[in-house]
Amino acid sequence: MILILKPETRRDSPEFQSLMDYLANLPGIQVRVHEEHGAQQTLTEVYLIGDTKTLSLDDMKSLPGVERVVRVSEEYRILGRHRDDHRPTSWEYNGVRFGQDNLNVFAGLCAVSTREHVEAMMKALREHGQVCTRMGAYKPRTSPYAFQGHGKACLPYVFELAGKYGIRVIAMEVTHDKHIDEIREALHQTGHPTGVMLQIGTRNTQNFELLKAVGRQREFPVLLKRGFGITLEESLNAAEYVASQGNTRIVFGLRGMKTNMGDPHRNFVDFAHVPVVKRLTRMPVCIDPSHSVGSRDAAPDGLLDIFHVTAQGVIAGANMILVDFHPEPSKALVDGPQALLLEELPRFLEDVAIAREAYERRVAAARRARGEGEAAGAAA
Ligand code: PEP
Ligand code: MN
């Protein structure tokens, strides 16, 4: 059960104190307090864990400071969408809004190679109005002898260049909790020219200690990739792990599943799950067409498979795209064969815009069919 408190209820207020005193005396019920920091206000939610069946909704609603009560009938207590649950499906980070109703593109380098490549990438992004990117500094690799990423050594120039080119959010994978400190430290040293979204890669989706570490901090939002060999439910529970530690600014990433049924793609593209994740949870959903497809193969219509699957994810309502580009793919240190070229960026963005417009038209048509006006808020 979730008690949603009146906006701006402070933890040091007498109301909050008497609520906590009351809850502490409920037998067999554990209490956890979460704060959701929205653009306008802070919402405090109190999670009651244990046998809550005997608690009456009306009794709970009448407690001091309580505005609404949601009975959680399903899993994903924090991130899930529950009956009569109108909690937000969007949040903001460093001036960029992430929600189930909008779309952000994170085009960038799979792995940071050289300063020159980073600069060429960011310059192209600015020329095309982009404020987000991906930059891998810590790379989990199949072979221990493969390049493992430049690590903390590249962070200062990556962050400085991001500031120079107006990049507001960099998606960057972390594979160890000490990487969070290294990122924090480098941002501090460079004067916070940009922001970072901590990416948990598919190989670490069930690294529970890492999930707890990114969940304990509130400074950086998290992009959690789906595990490539586990069920969707298991991956959504991994996201809930992060949220259970206090950080609810999480984007859920689809990146394809490991099975030879997807051949000749690197992974079996799972973007049909975009609407499923949006229905089950309040997280914005990211798609990663590069790691799903894994090649620059093109269809006879002239469009690369990466463009096709991106459009499929976007037309299904995806909220974020993580996509590999490289100024000189032959010199890329990781995943060169799947990288798009900088000169393909405007075409890629145009294709994304076409698919997004089609998605918005589909949502509007569905709303009309239900007899709702165009002006009705899109909960898409
Ligand atoms: C990546 O995005 O660079 C990456 C390694 O992705 P994944 O964890 O999905 O393989
Ligand atoms: Mn990669």
Side-chain angles (χ1 to χ4, degrees):
M1 182 177 276
I2 307 172
L3 312 184
I4 297 163
L5 305 193
K6 293 175 189 145
E8 307 305 339
T9 302
R10 291 169 54 99
R11 286 195 188 211
D12 56 6
S13 64
E15 255 183 333
F16 185 82
Q17 280 312 320
S18 67
L19 174 66
M20 287 300 122
D21 292 345
Y22 179 86
L23 298 176
N25 286 321
L26 292 176
I29 303 283
Q30 239 189 303
V31 178
R32 277 204 209 167
V33 179
H34 281 270
E35 279 175 4
E36 293 235 352
H37 299 275
Q40 264 101 46
Q41 59 188 21
T42 297
L43 275 187
T44 305
E45 298 173 351
V46 180
Y47 291 80
L48 304 184
I49 301 159
D51 185 15
T52 56
K53 279 195 281 306
T54 53
L55 303 177
S56 114
L57 280 184
D58 285 340
D59 286 355
M60 293 295 120
K61 227 180 271 175
S62 65
L63 294 174
V66 175
E67 184 166 87
R68 268 183 312 121
V69 181
V70 176
R71 203 182 270 288
V72 181
S73 48
E74 299 130 61
E75 266 175 314
Y76 326 130
R77 292 161 202 243
I78 301 174
L79 297 170
R81 278 179 183 263
H82 306 293
R83 196 152 13 112
D84 302 322
D85 182 359
H86 305 292
R87 291 176 298 160
T89 55
S90 70
W91 37 268
E92 219 179 271
Y93 173 63
N94 208 28
V96 181
R97 186 172 171 280
F98 294 87
Q100 284 196 338
D101 58 355
N102 73 345
L103 175 62
N104 294 294
V105 179
F106 282 61
L109 307 183
C110 176
V112 171
S113 38
T114 65
R115 185 192 174 98
E116 291 67 35
H117 288 150
V118 172
E119 179 147 27
M121 184 72 234
M122 291 186 177
K123 193 160 172 282
L125 290 169
R126 188 176 61 185
E127 275 163 20
H128 297 287
Q130 299 302 302
V131 296
C132 299
T133 190
R134 58 160 295 148
M135 289 283 153
Y138 308 97
K139 300 302 300 178
R141 304 304 302 284
T142 305
S143 164
Y145 310 113
F147 171 67
Q148 308 281 312
H150 287 310
K152 70 175 178 184
C154 69
L155 299 182
Y157 70 78
V158 169
F159 295 161
E160 275 160 16
L161 287 168
K164 177 172 171 191
Y165 291 101
I167 300 294
R168 305 205 62 90
V169 187
I170 303 174
M172 182 175 278
E173 179 162 358
V174 290
T175 58
H176 193 284
D177 57 4
K178 76 172 185 223
H179 300 156
I180 310 170
D181 299 327
E182 291 173 6
I183 289 170
R184 188 181 290 112
E185 178 62 24
L187 279 172
H188 180 68
Q189 271 170 11
T190 51
H192 292 273
T194 188
V196 171
M197 179 181 281
L198 303 174
Q199 183 178 322
I200 302 294
T202 195
R203 291 157 190 82
N204 276 313
T205 308
Q206 286 189 315
N207 180 342
F208 297 114
E209 294 311 314
L210 185 61
L211 297 178
K212 287 192 233 168
V214 296
R216 273 194 298 272
Q217 60 80 39
R218 307 273 186 99
E219 187 177 351
F220 306 111
V222 175
L223 167 61
L224 177 80
K225 293 246 194 137
R226 173 190 198 158
F228 54 29
I230 56 177
T231 63
L232 182 64
E233 187 187 348
E234 286 164 334
S235 292
L236 294 177
N237 268 306
E240 188 75 13
Y241 251 95
V242 177
S244 72
Q245 301 298 307
N247 187 0
T248 52
R249 293 194 291 182
I250 307 168
V251 177
F252 188 79
L254 298 173
R255 49 82 70 214
M257 303 300 294
K258 209 176 186 63
T259 155
N260 62 349
M261 301 298 168
D263 291 356
H265 288 159
R266 182 174 173 182
N267 288 283
F268 193 87
V269 182
D270 56 349
F271 299 168
H273 279 167
V274 168
V276 178
V277 178
K278 290 168 81 172
R279 176 172 72 244
L280 294 175
T281 78
R282 298 178 294 120
M283 289 183 282
V285 182
C286 175
I287 53 166
D288 178 341
S290 303
H291 290 83
S292 295
V293 170
S295 76
R296 291 181 46 83
D297 290 334
D301 57 19
L303 291 161
L304 300 185
D305 290 10
I306 291 180
F307 279 53
H308 273 299
V309 303
T310 302
Q312 288 159 16
V314 171
I315 206 168
N319 308 112
M320 174 170 159
I321 304 167
L322 194 72
V323 55
D324 289 2
F325 274 75
H326 202 283
E328 288 182 279
S330 63
K331 294 197 182 150
L333 297 172
V334 184
D335 284 347
Q338 70 191 23
L340 301 178
L341 310 172
L342 294 194
E343 49 275 28
E344 289 170 321
L345 181 60
R347 247 311 2 257
F348 181 80
L349 294 172
E350 183 190 14
D351 214 45
V352 166
I354 292 168
R356 177 69 190 178
E357 192 195 329
Y359 167 71
E360 285 170 358
R361 288 176 55 192
R362 293 174 62 222
V363 172
R367 204 178 297 139
R368 274 195 305 278
R370 290 196 305 268
E372 296 169 24
E374 289 288 313

